[in-house]
Amino acid sequence: MEYCSVQGVKALCEEFGFRFTKSLGQNFLVSPQTAARIADAGLADKETTVLEIGPGFGAMTAALAERAGRVVALELDRSLFPVLEKTLAEFDNVTVCEGDVLKTDLAALFAGDTNPHRCVTANLPYYITTKTILLLLSSHLFERITVMIQKEAADKIVAAPGSEQWCLFSLLCNYYAETKLVFTVPRSAFSPQPGVESAVVRLTPVKRLEEAEEAWFLKIADAVFAMRRKTIANCLKALLPAETLAQAAQTAGIDTARRGESLTVAEGMALAQAVQQITQTSHTKKSIC
């Protein structure tokens, strides 16, 4: 990590004529210790292929390459490629690809990959945090997702139901994965320094529901948080017939007079399973008739 310092970043900027693009959320690591800690937190070994999103000048890429079997670094800014060619010259297990993570066929990035394990470790640009994490989780491609993000977003990921931070993003993250805040990162670890603190979170995906049940869970989640301060009954009346909702809520043991924002992952799952069972039974009866 020869270039992971304020002086190193400055020298590379001068050598390659690079200018930071604020709209891309470019804040590069200048702390070798932080890069190493994040790479360690990702838990990658020589049988793991790591997807890194936004490698910057390659500080964390180098740390990952020392630990993982292979690193696929996805970078949107083409002007960084000559810099990365220099900073990652010693590593033959790194592939730098051009692309926007929100528009890339992630599965195609690993075509022909022979490593048995796959994970994500990245310093995510703040402006795409929510969409990127939900995309990675819903892809079901990764065993672990370890990302450095804005502390405020990290707090939402590990929030408890009923807390001020609990929101749709919280519910979905905790449905798709077990979540953990690993450590916080000060502004001084970056150049240029962001205006907020950062934190590293690790999400370990788990399979909770079958496909049809999951579809109902996602519909219910969207509905209850679209009008989060209204009752669960009011939130779901456009989604489900009153009789179906009443029956499903009774089966799941949920008081629909509560606010939508109070719904927990376990309750959402129970409600989704009950709705799926009711609708499936109803469909079967109609088919027989």
Side-chain angles (χ1 to χ4, degrees), residues 264-280:
T264 68
V265 172
E267 289 173 334
M269 289 170 54
L271 189 58
Q273 289 174 312
V275 170
Q276 171 59 19
Q277 182 62 43
I278 293 166
T279 54
Q280 187 176 34

Side-chain angles (χ1 to χ4, degrees), residues 23-183:
S23 63
L24 294 179
Q26 291 177 329
N27 302 95
F28 298 165
L29 277 171
V30 290
S31 167
Q33 296 80 9
T34 300
R37 285 187 73 190
I38 298 170
D40 286 340
L43 304 177
D45 58 22
K46 295 302 180 182
E47 293 189 327
T48 303
T49 294
V50 180
L51 171 64
E52 183 188 15
I53 300 159
F57 280 174
M60 196 159 70
T61 320
L64 291 168
E66 291 170 351
R67 293 159 173 79
R70 182 179 175 225
V71 180
V72 178
L74 187 63
E75 178 53 60
L76 179 61
D77 189 348
R78 184 72 193 179
S79 67
L80 284 168
F81 280 52
V83 188
L84 290 167
E85 187 175 354
K86 176 173 182 172
T87 61
L88 301 175
E90 66 181 282
F91 300 105
D92 61 4
N93 62 338
V94 176
T95 303
V96 180
C97 303
E98 182 179 6
D100 179 341
V101 65
L102 299 176
K103 300 176 182 178
T104 297
D105 182 346
L106 296 178
L109 288 177
F110 305 99
D113 188 81
T114 58
N115 284 325
H117 305 293
R118 188 176 301 145
C119 68
V120 177
T121 307
N123 170 20
L124 285 185
Y126 294 156
Y127 75 103
I128 59 168
T129 293
T130 301
K131 289 182 179 179
T132 300
I133 289 176
L134 293 179
L135 172 68
L136 296 173
L137 288 170
S138 62
S139 74
H140 304 295
L141 290 172
F142 307 100
E143 295 177 16
R144 283 179 310 283
I145 299 166
T146 307
V147 287
M148 178 162 57
I149 56 178
Q150 186 174 343
K151 176 67 163 51
E152 182 181 349
D155 288 340
K156 290 180 180 179
I157 289 175
V158 299
S163 67
E164 186 178 341
Q165 290 84 12
W166 185 252
C167 60
L168 177 60
F169 183 47
S170 310
L171 181 75
L172 294 178
C173 285
N174 285 277
Y175 165 72
Y176 283 120
E178 300 292 339
T179 63
K180 180 180 180 179
L181 193 154
V182 186
F183 60 90

Side-chain angles (χ1 to χ4, degrees), residues 193-244:
Q193 291 190 19
V196 295
E197 274 197 329
S198 302
V200 175
V201 292
R202 182 165 58 235
L203 301 100
T204 306
V206 291
K207 178 65 176 175
R208 300 193 191 274
L209 295 175
E210 297 304 317
E211 186 176 346
E213 295 169 340
E214 182 173 286
W216 275 115
F217 176 89
L218 296 176
K219 290 177 184 177
I220 290 167
D222 282 339
V224 297
F225 279 95
M227 300 181 291
R228 56 182 295 161
R229 298 198 180 278
K230 291 186 178 295
T231 65
I232 293 174
N234 277 335
C235 291
L236 297 180
K237 66 181 181 180
L239 180 65
L240 295 166
E243 184 179 345
T244 300

